[in-house]
Structure formats: C-alpha cells, structure tokens
Amino acid sequence: KNANDMEDLGQAVNKAEKSITRSKDHAGQLLIDIDTLKNDISATELQMQELLDLRNQDVADFRQAVKDDTDAIALLEQAIAALTRFYSKNNEELSLVSKKQAPEYTVDQDKAPETTWYGSKYGGRKKETTGIVAIVEMIKEDLQKEIKEAKADDATSQAQYEKERGALQETLDAQ
C-alpha cells in the first residue's frame, strides 16, 4: 500500500509541477499583455494630446485671423469715412464709374492730345479716383465674408475634433 501511495503522491507532485509551469507561462503572457496594453494606452493618450494641441493651435490661429480681419474692417471704415468727407468737402462724385470719356485723336494716333492746363492749375484726375470708396467698401465686405466663413470652418473643425476625441476616448476606455 505504501508503494501505491508513493506512486500516487509522485503523480500528484508531477501534476502540480506541470500546473505551476503552466501558471508561470500564463503569468508571463499576462505580463506581456499588460505591457502591450500600457504601451497602447500611452500611444492613445499621446494621440489625444497631439489632437488637443492641434486644435488649440487652430483655435489660436482662428482667433488671430478674426482679430486681424476685424481690425482691418475698422481701418477700412475709417478710410471710407475720411474719403467720403474729403469728396463731400470738395464736391466730388462718389461713383465708381468715371463719366470722363477717352480723348479723341483727330490728326495722329501716335500724338498725345493737347492738355488744358498750364502750370500749377492741374487738379489731378479727380473723376477717376472717386470710385475708391466703392472699392474699399468691397474689400470690407470681402473681409466680413471671410470672418463668417472662418467661423463656419471653425465650428466644423470643432465638431471634427470632438468626434475624433470621442473615438480615442472609447479606444482608451476599451484598453
């Protein structure tokens, strides 16, 4: 009976040793899996930080662009007011289209037409410069449109950021 007991104990020890070896192998694999998950989590967190940094830079650029455009609009409004006062004070038209017609050449097309002023009486091409107010107003409108489009683009970018961050957060939670 002792021999049988010894044989049974030997088999039990053998079985326990194999179980320990399997447990050690499994523990080793679990440690590898833990390291892999830690690396994955770090990579995901890094991606989230990079995404946040990019978004913050985009927001800063957007705010600077809107500020620059707003400042430009204020300057253009001042220019429009000053030009309007100047033209009103000098009884000039504020139209974009010049009513002056091109000179007619009667003798020779290569010869310049005769001028109608002498000395310091020349007042410039007043009729042709009055359209500057309309041009400045168009530039102002373009800047206003640019601000509106920039705001729409920023809203789209914010929605995209939130979508990507949510996906990364879900990945992080799953890890």
Side-chain angles (χ1 to χ4, degrees):
K1 177 176 177 177
N2 249 351
N4 285 339
D5 286 340
M6 288 298 279
E7 191 178 318
D8 286 343
L9 284 176
Q11 286 179 355
V13 167
N14 225 4
K15 192 175 184 182
E17 286 175 350
K18 287 180 182 177
S19 178
I20 289 172
T21 303
R22 279 193 309 268
S23 293
K24 285 182 180 179
D25 290 344
H26 185 66
Q29 185 59 45
L30 287 175
L31 288 175
I32 291 171
D33 290 347
I34 288 172
D35 286 342
T36 302
L37 280 175
K38 283 182 180 179
N39 290 338
D40 290 348
I41 289 171
S42 294
T44 302
E45 288 173 342
L46 181 64
Q47 287 177 332
M48 290 176 77
Q49 185 60 46
E50 289 172 351
L51 185 65
L52 178 62
D53 292 344
L54 285 172
R55 182 64 192 138
N56 287 338
Q57 184 60 46
D58 285 348
V59 168
D61 292 345
F62 162 73
R63 288 181 179 159
Q64 185 62 45
V66 168
K67 181 188 177 305
D68 291 346
D69 287 347
T70 303
D71 291 347
I73 289 171
L75 287 173
L76 291 172
E77 287 173 345
Q78 290 175 2
I80 290 169
L83 288 169
T84 303
R85 278 192 310 272
F86 172 80
Y87 288 127
S88 295
K89 180 180 173 184
N90 292 307
N91 294 323
E92 295 289 333
E93 283 186 41
L94 290 174
S95 67
L96 182 59
V97 178
S98 174
K99 294 182 170 119
K100 184 176 179 181
Q101 294 189 1
E104 293 183 24
Y105 296 96
T106 55
V107 179
D108 184 7
Q109 288 185 342
D110 292 330
K111 181 180 174 193
E114 296 296 321
T115 59
T116 58
W117 75 89
Y118 296 99
S120 63
K121 294 182 182 179
Y122 177 65
R125 301 172 77 174
K126 294 178 183 176
K127 297 287 185 191
E128 293 179 12
T129 60
T130 57
I132 191 71
V133 173
I135 293 170
V136 173
E137 286 176 350
M138 286 189 289
I139 293 171
K140 177 184 154 191
E141 290 171 5
D142 287 346
L143 288 172
Q144 290 169 332
K145 181 180 175 186
E146 186 177 308
I147 290 173
K148 183 179 177 182
E149 290 172 356
K151 286 180 180 181
D153 290 346
D154 183 62
T156 302
S157 295
Q158 180 66 28
Q160 182 66 26
Y161 164 76
E162 290 172 3
K163 178 182 173 185
E164 290 176 12
R165 188 178 188 297
L168 286 171
Q169 186 63 49
E170 286 177 11
T171 300
L172 188 63
D173 292 344
Q175 294 171 338

